[in-house]
Amino acid sequence: MDGYRRAGAISPRAARTERNRAPGDALRHDDCMLLTRLAQVSREVAATAARSRKIALLAELFRDAEADDVPIVIPYLAGRLPQGRLGVGWKVLGRPVPPAAEPSLTVREVDARLTGLGKVSGPGSQAERTRIVGELMGAATEEEQRFLLGLLTGEVRQGALDAVAVEGLARATGADPADVRRAVMLAGSLQTVARALLGEGPGSLDRFRLTVGRPVLPMLAHSASSVAEAVEKLGACAVEEKLDGIRVQVHRDGDTVRIHTRTLDDITGRLPEVTSAALELRGKRFILDGEVISFDAAGRPRSFQETAGRVGSRTDVARAAEETPVSPVFFDALSVDGRDLLDLPFAERHAELARLVPEPMRVRRTVASGPRDVPEAERFLADTLARGHEGVVVKALDAPYSAGRRGAAWLKVKPVHTLDLVVLAAEWGHGRRTGRLSNLHLGARTPDGGFAMLGKTFKGMTDAMLAWQTERLKELAVEDDGWVVRVRPELVVEIAYDGLQRSTRYPAGVTLRFARVVRYREDKRPEEADTVEALLAAHPEVSP
Ligand SMILES: Nc1ncnc2c1ncn2[C@@H]1O[C@H](COP(=O)(O)OP(=O)(O)OP(=O)(O)O)[C@@H](O)[C@H]1O
């Protein structure tokens, strides 16, 4: 409670009590938030372009929310299902059900029903799913039905919503938005922080500290078109080789080592050689950031597919480690000897890293102090490419570590430009590809949270990829007319292309030239895919 008093703010609960005194408050129901309220706010938030208005709307919603509503309310607002996949297709959703006249559904009830829906399996499951969805839709008003349909088809993704929700939460509870952001970054989950804040107030934020053994979301990079541009933007910077492997965060506490992926999965058991390497380092307690990658006997990087295949294999780890050993290559230190380094400038974090980690286990780098060092930085890029790596990451030496963010302080420069797009549909193949889902319909994000199709491709897929994508896309299917299978827009795929050309056939007015699949990016959510806006900005030659 102290936090509230310090901040001079009114607690959400106290605000609610006052509100509850008002007669005729139809929007509360046993203290649990009604879906109608959420659907209304969601519509209003989407309808306004003003960030301040969005924040005000969300703050008001959060003031009325119970801590237990929040893990449902936040993903619903962003268009995400907390259950992940539910396996309801268009056949089930497309059936119209007469709406209820009055709202009665609570968000928790909806969540419980959807959890039930996700558990249906075995014979007769289609009929059972239809029954559950019919019952849910029948209990929903027209507006609620629209909201639920958007949620279940996954067609609306408000990627920017989480950032607005942070501000709304801060406003609702009197916390400092910067403190909320830092807590979210360290907790790795907005919902966890929201729940603590709404239940216990701003004082609870102290709980979310950087802790060895508890992974945090990694810092990410933006793109620059050249080393010169990156150096000009950042000033004094390090130019580091960009290794095409798998991002890892390595935590060591005494004899215990834990290794986490970029999505915070624990993969310690799959990488015994990385554990041994971490145990040989000088420090006893640390968190390091880096990449694991497999090198061949000549010291050249193996393909991304080989490294990813190795990191992905869970069975017979000893044999996999022998066949495709991987090496950790570190580039940052987040915590050393119990000291949190996140807010220190990169130059200082790197000095700590260098103290702990010997050179062969760190990425190669050169330092540029300004424009006059560009030629040297360009030589470093050329040399890095010649050694088989994909490019460089240019990093401001004075920047803190912004966990979980695509900070402006890291700029990647890669000669082969790729896009992360979302698979919207796939066509059944023919000939050799009969029975396989082959030609992919690719979409980029639009400002309204939807996706605009940019083109199709069936190129670049290996047989293994074809088999995998067929299974995966079948799980996501919402409609199949025997030719095109429309899917929930969830799968992110990395696409190489040779440029853009104008086209009246596609909604953004442009299409990709020679699009081909590079790899699937299961570590990315559709909200992280590239936007039409950024694509057009990168190709002024086709902009209308
Ligand atoms: N020296 C390095 N510093 C930072 N990241 C590096 C470095 N070398 C390789 N990487 C990898 O590059 C990624 C940074 O690029 P970005 O943040 O854009 O992620 P991404 O979208 O996965 O990029 P890409 O698709 O180009 O790999 C990191 O997540 C990490 O896996």
Side-chain angles (χ1 to χ4, degrees), residues 219-222 240-247 262 291 331 363 390 393 395 406 410 412 414 418 420 494 519 521 523-524:
M219 178 164 175
L220 300 171
H222 274 288
E240 298 185 343
E241 57 186 358
K242 186 175 196 299
L243 308 177
D244 200 7
I246 300 284
R247 183 83 175 261
R262 169 180 163 147
E291 195 88 347
F331 46 74
V363 295
E390 58 166 350
V393 186
K395 301 178 177 177
R406 224 167 256 291
W410 286 14
K412 57 182 171 180
K414 297 194 290 187
T418 59
D420 291 323
E494 188 176 336
R519 66 181 77 140
R521 294 299 307 252
D523 57 335
K524 287 204 170 179

Side-chain angles (χ1 to χ4, degrees), residues 243-264:
L243 308 177
D244 200 7
I246 300 284
R247 183 83 175 261
V248 287
Q249 198 173 97
V250 177
H251 292 236
R252 173 174 169 189
D253 188 356
D255 295 334
T256 309
V257 173
R258 303 248 59 111
I259 308 164
H260 296 271
T261 61
R262 169 180 163 147
T263 42
L264 310 189

Side-chain angles (χ1 to χ4, degrees), residues 42 60 64 139-140 195 206 245 277 284 312 328-329 354 432 454 492:
S42 173
E60 206 181 320
D64 288 347
R195 195 176 201 147
D206 292 347
K284 295 254 178 292
V329 189
R432 265 193 67 224
L454 287 176
V492 178

Side-chain angles (χ1 to χ4, degrees), residues 241 243-250 259 267 270-278 280-281 288-303 306-308 310-311 320-331 357-363 389:
E241 57 186 358
L243 308 177
D244 200 7
I246 300 284
R247 183 83 175 261
V248 287
Q249 198 173 97
V250 177
I259 308 164
I267 52 165
R270 299 186 219 162
L271 301 176
E273 65 270 52
V274 177
T275 298
S276 314
E280 272 163 30
L281 296 179
L288 301 181
D289 189 4
E291 195 88 347
V292 288
I293 183 163
S294 182
F295 293 105
D296 65 17
R300 288 183 69 84
R302 288 187 219 257
S303 73
E306 284 171 278
T307 296
R310 163 61 212 282
V311 175
E322 200 165 305
E323 279 171 11
T324 319
V326 292
S327 314
V329 189
F330 296 107
F331 46 74
V357 180
E359 196 155 334
M361 236 193 273
R362 300 199 307 262
V363 295
H389 298 297

